[in-house]
Amino acid sequence: MRIPHAHITLTVNGEPTEVAFAPYKTLLEVLREDLNLCGTKHGCELGECGACAVLLDGQPVLSCLVLGVECEGRRVTTVEGLASEGRLHPLQETFADLGAAQCGYCTPGILVTAKALLDEHPRPTRDQIRDALSGNLCRCTGYQQIFEAVEAAIAVEVPVADGRRSVLDTREHSARGPSEREDASEASGGGAPRALKNAASASGVGVGPHAK
Amino acid sequence: MAATSFKTIGKPRRRVDGRAKVTGQTKFADDLMLPRMVHCKLLRSTLPHARVVRIDASRALAHPGVHLVMTGRDFPIPYGILPVSQDEHALAIDRVRFVGDPVAAVIARDELTAFDALDLIDVEYEPLRTFADPEESLTHSTPRIHDYGDAGNIHKIVSLGFGDVEQAFADADHVFEDTFFYQGSTHLPIEQHAAVAAKDPDGKLVLWSSTQTPHYVHRALAKALAIPAAHVRVIATPNGGGFGGKSDPFNHEVVIAKAAMLLDRPVKICLTREEVFYCHRGRHPVLMHFKTGVKRDGTITGLHVKTLLDGGAYGSYGVASTFYTGALQTVTYHIPTYHFQGCRVFTNKPPCGPKRGHGTPQSRFGQEIQLDKIAETLSLDPAELRLRIVERPDTLTANYLRIGTIGLAECIRRVTHAADWSSTYRKLPPGHGVGIACSSYLSGAGLPIYWNDMPHSGVQLKLDRSGGVTAFCGATEIGQGSDDVLVACVAEILGIDPIDIRAVTGDTDLTPVDLGSYSSRVTLMMGNAAIQAAERARDLLAEAVASKINVPKDRLVFAERRVFDAENPATGVAFSDAVCLAETMFGTIGTTGSYTPPRSAAKFKGGGVGPSPTYSYSAAIVEVTVEPSTGWIDVPRVWIAHDIGRALNPTLVRGQVEGSVYMALGEALMEEQTFRRLPPRLSHALVHKFPSMLEYKSPTTMDMPDVITELVEAPDPRGPFGAKEVGQGPLLPVMPAVANAVYDAIGVRIDEVPITPEKILKALDAKAAGKTPRYGPSRFPDIAWPETLQVPPPWEGGDGTAVNDQRRSVPDTRERHGASASAPGVGPRRYEKVGPRER
Ligand code: FES
Ligand code: FES
């Protein structure tokens, strides 16, 4: 027996969108299967892993626990919507540069959750970052490079004039081999590591896309 | 070539696939959506052990939207990862061996329809005795779970002797005996296994799958479906985490491959999380006994290790896992005499297999805790004890493993310095403690899984007139960064930027064979192959450029996308021009490189497991706080030093170290793959206790401590640019270091993992009652071990062969071609190879 499709209008990554789908489908399924936005992942479809996180009206939600029909008229942001005007979001830059995405499977969910955090708290502490991401399981990284990438994204977004830890400070306590040390000393004349440079150039310090 | 310092190697860099991953563009298997695609669901056994009497699928087949229903009859040919354990069928033929064993498959227009139709398949079972734990399998030889194996329900039993351990114990000042238990755990990749199969326009089979081993899946599909291998293409999609859990050919891959060929439509399957728990192939639960003789100064005189592995329902990598529980003890510390006895039994649970560290974390746990006890008895600092007994570089161990460079002493020094060990060990207030442990791991298995003399990894390069280079390799990106290693090695040799190179990997039609992402083999093996291919390309370009600009070939430098004269850097050509010159001189420019590990010195039966081109080393110090009233354990900090040889991309290396520490803490403190009986009024079936991510506890951001990583870089000439492995080794020392830290904090020994508050409270109760302040297994069962193969160690004039193996004189060809060893009626003491060949 086929059930008649539901039909809704919503805003997906800033674009008005119409979509028809089987009414039992979750937002996760609608995004992946009906809107072809496969950047959003799933690890359980039971609300346990955080891989499917998206922003619904700016708030992180687990899209496997939201029905598509609940999204009429609402705003959905997925990983595909983080970059704007051809520029990656600072979080995307720092995640790519600092090893925060290994297999990359948890990454879309973590990126949107971190974006929601920064939107609300532009300068979160390490504990606030831990707390915000506590529902996102990552099996690869041990989370440390994720924390550092979020902190680096803060550093490129707000001027570092108040003595708060910048990217460089953050990276310092993580020990590294001689070659990396060498590189750090080489780079010290030239300033920031690539992550910082890229991110800074991508966002323009202080005017990142999510300042919108 | 003139010497240059590295431009790419050793620099922290964005990985080549980094942008794809942060933009959500990496295409995982479940992200593939093909026109006319239909969906598959598997009906899985609800009983742990039963004969399948009858299957009636007629109602399911009549269900609207169902295209095909398949059962075991559609898959008569068995397969399995090891040539000696071809014991799996895509769907059960007449027997199910664990709850979750696939019985039938439905292919329908969508997942929901397929799922609904599963309910319409009627299966009649005749229950058989369930074997829930290894001791039952040891004591009851019937019914046999499989009709092959060394005896009854024993899959594999081995006894290897290297020198006279009994004499060594007699010569020792102290002999220590301890029993440990290491609970099983699962990989829990965030990506559930998924695959898509299709018949390509030429009528040939294509399978995209989240697999770590496309080459072995290729072989298994060709065999199980009786299709010429040349007509099968396997593409490994980037894995959303593997950790060993995607290294076997899986039922669902074989099922959808056949369905796609029958239906001539793409067929997709994505397992549910619950199914992933039941697929498992994870850490074997291992009971073990360690007996070690030591002199007063800490010198080890001999070691005798016994292990009992709970294998679950199928062979998987189990024969190799069994040997791995005894292979690497000799690689860290000098052990002059060694006796290893290992036994793997079948039980009616999901099959165990390789998980990060494959078979070695269990026995490493026992060895490193026992060393802590030895140090205490000898009144030695445990770090100092280890420094005294560290094995020497470039040696052959008692069991014929050839060690390359060894940075273990430096790891111990770095980590004790960073953690301020001398002012914390045994000096922290009650409830606070620190513990140390060390380890070693392979940089790639020295022998392939099936008998052959071909290379283990191949790389092809195609150089384009544009200056772009494409690198083809069968290696599989599972998140570890193998594409980045491939590109970095080529970029360094050719003096171009990594972004100029495209990696095409993990595709059996397009890429030369690489055996797969397991045994920490990819960086070393693929890296060496990539360097060889790139050097061959560089030679062609150098010859063409040398004649063009009239400079001796060996004065040319490849750097900054140019080829130029070292003595006069302004004289040179752009890299793209160099390619054009070479193409003019030689024709189309393509080169290959390959890597074959050195021959193993171990020639005895079973010596195929353990050899590696070189070994990595790690040392860890873990800090804990333990709350004595609740037993609650907190880990605020972990210091870890890893002997990597050379860090090709330090950002990724650090990620592997931290990820290993994370996974290790999960195993040390919370993760358990355990089972329970349903109540008798239900089926009494043996089921997973908690097949969900919520209840199967794994560390979250809130649990993860600060990790302070030290990389020890002493380049090993056997590795690419001196690199050794990092993906698995750093996991190994953490579990025993946690146990040793708990002892330092509250004076009780927890001789098993996971170390839970409950066990700590029980140990504290025992202590309060004046009993042994310990929680752990009390005995190792009596096992009827076979006659020990006696292999005199190198220092007793041995040549790597066993002195009492008469069968060695008969050349064995049985499994050269991967012949099945699953023939029924094979007797218990049959001579069988262990998967990897012997030399
Ligand atoms: S897929 Fe939604 S939380 Fe796991
Ligand atoms: S990067 Fe693999 S799960 Fe997070």
Side-chain angles (χ1 to χ4, degrees):
Chain A
M1 187 195 62
R2 299 210 104 159
I3 315 156
H5 272 23
H7 178 228
I8 64 167
T9 306
L10 71 171
T11 304
V12 179
N13 297 328
E15 295 174 16
T17 305
E18 276 186 59
V19 58
F21 52 89
Y24 53 77
K25 280 197 175 185
T26 61
L27 175 58
L28 171 72
E29 291 165 323
V30 173
L31 288 170
R32 290 177 53 85
E33 296 166 11
D34 300 290
L35 292 170
N36 219 348
L37 291 170
C38 287
T40 302
K41 306 302 176 199
H42 55 79
C44 66
E45 301 184 64
L46 293 166
E48 298 172 349
C49 71
C52 65
V54 300
L55 303 185
L56 190 58
D57 295 330
Q59 291 302 310
V61 296
L62 300 173
S63 64
C64 71
L65 296 185
V66 176
L67 282 174
V69 292
E70 294 176 86
C71 297
E72 170 68 41
R74 302 180 74 176
R75 248 180 334 114
V76 176
T77 306
T78 68
V79 68
E80 288 93 344
L82 291 184
S84 67
E85 292 160 18
R87 285 175 173 178
L88 296 186
H89 187 282
L91 283 164
Q92 290 175 303
E93 295 281 4
T94 57
F95 269 59
D97 281 343
L98 301 181
Q102 278 188 27
C103 78
Y105 199 82
C106 67
T107 309
I110 292 189
L111 281 170
V112 298
T113 310
K115 175 182 160 21
L117 170 70
L118 296 192
D119 286 349
E120 196 163 356
H121 303 282
R123 297 174 190 185
T125 61
R126 176 70 66 105
D127 281 347
Q128 282 174 313
I129 298 170
R130 278 183 192 273
D131 197 50
L133 299 180
S134 60
N136 297 81
L137 296 181
C138 171
R139 202 61 178 155
C140 297
T141 59
Y143 304 111
Q144 193 151 301
Q145 288 179 319
I146 292 176
F147 300 151
E148 292 169 10
V150 175
E151 285 163 354
I154 308 165
V156 299
E157 262 224 314
V158 287
V160 193
D162 56 359
R164 197 179 35 79
R165 288 207 312 189
S166 73
V167 184
L168 286 170
D169 300 330
T170 309
R171 285 164 59 84
E172 207 167 58
H173 79 269
S174 51
R176 52 204 57 180
S179 59
E180 200 176 351
R181 289 211 193 88
E182 241 167 58
D183 184 60
S185 55
E186 261 171 42
S188 58
R194 179 175 161 184
L196 186 53
K197 285 185 197 154
N198 278 1
S201 60
S203 66
V205 169
V207 288
H210 63 255
K212 68 175 179 253
Chain B
M1 295 299 129
T4 51
S5 61
F6 294 134
K7 295 284 186 265
T8 299
I9 296 301
K11 314 289 184 209
R13 273 186 309 107
R14 171 185 291 200
R15 53 191 293 159
V16 291
D17 46 2
R19 187 177 187 282
K21 288 176 194 291
V22 299
T23 53
Q25 294 182 83
T26 302
K27 279 252 177 279
F28 297 95
D30 195 41
D31 299 336
L32 301 174
M33 312 278 181
L34 301 181
R36 302 178 67 241
M37 191 165 78
V38 288
H39 297 263
C40 177
K41 281 275 164 208
L42 298 178
L43 180 71
R44 293 176 181 271
S45 169
T46 51
L47 292 182
H49 198 192
R51 237 185 289 285
V52 179
V53 180
R54 195 180 58 88
I55 303 180
D56 181 357
S58 52
R59 290 194 301 142
L61 202 52
H63 189 64
V66 170
H67 291 273
L68 181 66
V69 179
M70 294 191 287
T71 63
R73 245 178 273 185
D74 297 299
F75 299 94
I77 306 173
Y79 61 89
I81 184 68
L82 297 188
V84 292
S85 314
Q86 300 284 299
D87 60 0
E88 300 189 48
H89 286 86
L91 297 169
I93 297 268
D94 56 2
R95 183 94 77 96
V96 288
R97 297 181 171 87
F98 69 100
V99 167
D101 214 356
V103 176
V106 173
I107 289 89
R109 67 181 167 219
D110 53 37
E111 261 190 306
L112 197 67
T113 307
F115 191 73
D116 285 346
L118 293 182
D119 279 349
L120 304 175
I121 300 173
D122 302 303
V123 187
E124 190 185 318
Y125 295 106
E126 179 193 316
L128 296 168
R129 180 195 176 102
T130 300
F131 294 88
D133 76 66
E135 292 213 37
E136 284 177 64
S137 306
L138 279 177
T139 46
H140 299 276
S141 55
T142 55
R144 292 185 82 184
I145 295 174
H146 286 282
D147 55 13
Y148 79 103
D150 280 350
N153 283 310
I154 295 176
H155 176 206
K156 187 73 200 169
I157 185 161
V158 297
S159 184
L160 297 173
F162 307 92
D164 188 346
V165 278
E166 293 311 322
Q167 187 58 47
F169 294 145
D171 294 344
D173 294 324
H174 300 269
V175 175
F176 292 81
E177 289 199 64
D178 290 285
T179 309
F180 303 94
F181 178 63
Y182 199 103
Q183 183 56 279
S185 58
T186 202
H187 318 82
L188 203 76
I190 307 294
E191 179 202 32
Q192 302 131 293
H193 305 53
V196 177
K199 196 189 262 192
D200 77 7
D202 301 334
K204 297 188 281 194
L205 171 65
V206 194
L207 179 85
W208 292 264
S209 185
S210 51
T211 176
Q212 300 178 230
T213 53
H215 175 62
Y216 296 139
V217 173
H218 185 202
R219 289 172 58 86
L221 285 180
K223 182 191 179 208
L225 301 179
I227 304 177
H231 298 177
V232 177
R233 177 181 184 185
V234 176
I235 302 171
T237 47
N239 289 198
F243 317 112
K246 295 169 180 170
S247 309
D248 285 66
F250 279 98
N251 311 67
H252 62 268
E253 294 170 323
V254 182
V255 166
I256 63 162
K258 173 132 191 183
M261 292 306 276
L262 288 174
L263 294 170
D264 196 4
R265 294 181 76 150
V267 181
K268 177 189 270 191
I269 189 162
C270 181
L271 303 188
T272 63
R273 177 52 61 181
E274 186 179 18
E275 286 180 291
V276 174
F277 275 99
Y278 279 101
C279 276
H280 191 44
R281 318 277 165 157
R283 185 83 72 223
H284 284 76
V286 178
L287 184 65
M288 53 205 144
H289 185 81
F290 272 74
K291 183 172 179 185
T292 305
V294 290
K295 292 287 200 189
R296 238 166 257 113
D297 65 357
T299 313
I300 294 173
T301 62
L303 171 64
H304 180 188
V305 176
K306 292 189 279 189
T307 62
L308 174 59
L309 294 80
D310 183 348
Y314 287 94
S316 182
Y317 284 80
V319 171
S321 317
T322 307
F323 282 106
Y324 273 130
T325 62
L328 300 190
Q329 278 79 354
T330 54
V331 174
T332 38
Y333 312 114
H334 183 66
I335 295 174
T337 61
Y338 180 46
H339 186 193
F340 166 62
Q341 293 176 304
C343 175
R344 181 183 196 256
V345 295
F346 289 123
T347 54
N348 295 117
K349 294 186 280 194
C352 297
K355 183 186 172 195
R356 213 170 195 172
H358 192 188
T360 71
Q362 296 96 327
S363 41
R364 179 58 59 189
F365 178 73
Q367 188 174 17
E368 295 292 322
I369 295 177
Q370 193 178 55
L371 273 179
D372 209 59
K373 298 180 184 183
I374 291 171
E376 177 155 63
T377 304
L378 300 181
S379 303
L380 284 172
D381 178 297
E384 168 59 25
L385 167 63
R386 286 170 171 85
L387 282 171
R388 287 185 187 186
I389 59 176
V390 165
E391 187 53 285
R392 292 167 312 250
D394 300 311
T395 28
L396 207 50
T397 66
N399 56 343
Y400 289 86
L401 303 182
R402 194 178 297 286
I403 295 174
T405 58
I406 161 162
L408 183 54
E410 179 62 11
C411 286
I412 295 171
R413 282 191 283 267
R414 291 274 282 273
V415 84
T416 47
H417 179 255
D420 200 10
W421 173 257
S422 55
S423 54
T424 52
Y425 173 69
R426 296 284 190 267
K427 296 192 180 81
L428 294 175
H432 297 258
V434 286
I436 189 168
C438 301
S439 66
S440 174
Y441 199 65
L442 319 166
S443 290
L447 290 96
I449 275 174
Y450 63 98
W451 206 104
N452 75 84
D453 272 327
M454 291 178 280
H456 291 213
S457 190
V459 170
Q460 288 181 336
L461 296 182
K462 181 215 128 199
L463 276 66
D464 189 78
R465 295 175 189 183
S466 65
V469 174
T470 311
F472 300 87
C473 178
T476 305
E477 179 56 72
I478 61 170
Q480 85 280 44
S482 58
D483 282 5
D484 194 70
V485 169
L486 174 63
V487 164
C489 290
V490 174
E492 186 63 51
I493 301 288
L494 295 181
I496 55 180
D497 195 271
I499 196 76
D500 304 336
I501 301 170
R502 178 170 302 282
V504 177
T505 53
D507 182 329
T508 61
D509 260 14
L510 300 185
T511 61
V513 166
D514 175 276
L515 293 179
S517 288
Y518 65 93
S519 83
S520 269
R521 50 174 299 291
V522 176
T523 292
L524 188 134
M525 300 197 189
M526 177 195 69
N528 279 324
I531 289 174
Q532 188 180 61
E535 285 179 343
R536 287 174 175 170
R538 189 182 61 185
D539 279 351
L540 296 176
L541 269 56
E543 196 163 332
V545 173
S547 87
K548 173 78 178 174
I549 64 173
N550 249 326
V551 164
K553 199 176 146 185
D554 58 6
R555 239 169 57 193
L556 292 176
V557 174
F558 285 66
E560 317 281 347
R561 294 185 176 125
R562 287 181 71 237
V563 182
F564 55 88
D565 182 0
E567 292 177 8
N568 184 9
T571 306
V573 302
F575 180 78
S576 53
D577 293 335
V579 176
C580 294
L581 290 169
E583 194 172 332
T584 309
M585 186 176 273
F586 300 108
T588 302
I589 303 298
T591 58
T592 63
S594 51
Y595 178 80
T596 310
R599 296 220 154 212
S600 162
K603 302 186 192 82
F604 56 91
K605 181 186 163 215
V609 176
S612 174
T614 185
Y615 300 84
S616 75
Y617 291 87
S618 315
I621 291 176
V622 172
E623 179 185 340
V624 299
T625 61
V626 185
E627 170 55 56
S629 60
T630 59
W632 189 258
I633 312 154
D634 197 38
V635 177
R637 244 171 309 278
V638 175
W639 294 265
I640 183 154
H642 182 69
D643 166 26
I644 176 81
R646 183 188 301 281
L648 298 183
N649 182 344
T651 306
L652 303 197
V653 168
R654 192 157 71 78
Q656 288 301 309
V657 174
E658 289 167 6
S660 292
V661 170
Y662 151 87
M663 196 162 274
L665 289 171
E667 292 189 21
L669 298 171
M670 59 188 89
E671 295 187 30
E672 308 188 59
Q673 168 101 344
T674 49
F675 297 81
R676 67 186 172 101
R677 294 270 192 178
L678 290 177
R681 69 186 159 76
L682 297 172
S683 64
H684 210 218
L686 189 65
V687 298
H688 197 294
K689 258 190 195 161
F690 24 57
S692 87
M693 291 172 117
L694 189 64
E695 293 158 291
Y696 178 94
K697 298 298 180 202
S698 64
T700 69
T701 55
M702 307 302 275
D703 303 304
M704 193 59 196
D706 288 338
V707 179
I708 297 94
T709 302
E710 297 274 340
L711 298 181
V712 171
E713 292 189 274
D716 186 318
R718 297 154 197 84
F721 303 104
K724 306 202 272 190
E725 77 87 36
V726 63
Q728 309 192 57
L731 173 139
L732 293 154
V734 177
M735 293 77 65
V738 171
N740 293 340
V742 165
Y743 181 72
D744 188 43
I746 48 162
V748 296
R749 290 283 178 192
I750 310 296
D751 288 337
E752 67 171 63
V753 296
I755 300 168
T756 58
E758 187 193 3
K759 291 173 190 172
I760 288 190
L761 291 181
K762 285 192 174 144
L764 285 171
D765 284 350
K767 188 180 183 183
K771 299 189 196 131
T772 315
R774 161 180 193 269
Y775 184 91
S778 52
R779 55 175 278 279
F780 190 91
D782 287 331
I783 294 177
W785 299 107
E787 183 194 343
T788 299
L789 272 190
Q790 298 292 352
V791 184
W795 39 88
E796 288 176 21
D799 64 357
T801 56
V803 293
N804 59 339
D805 187 356
Q806 295 85 1
R807 289 157 303 192
R808 292 300 307 175
S809 55
V810 188
D812 183 276
T813 52
R814 188 171 354 200
E815 271 135 40
R816 279 182 170 238
H817 305 290
S820 165
S822 60
V826 169
R829 296 287 307 282
R830 197 176 61 82
Y831 173 27
E832 69 180 27
K833 287 203 169 188
V834 294
R837 73 188 141 165
E838 299 155 81
R839 309 260 194 183

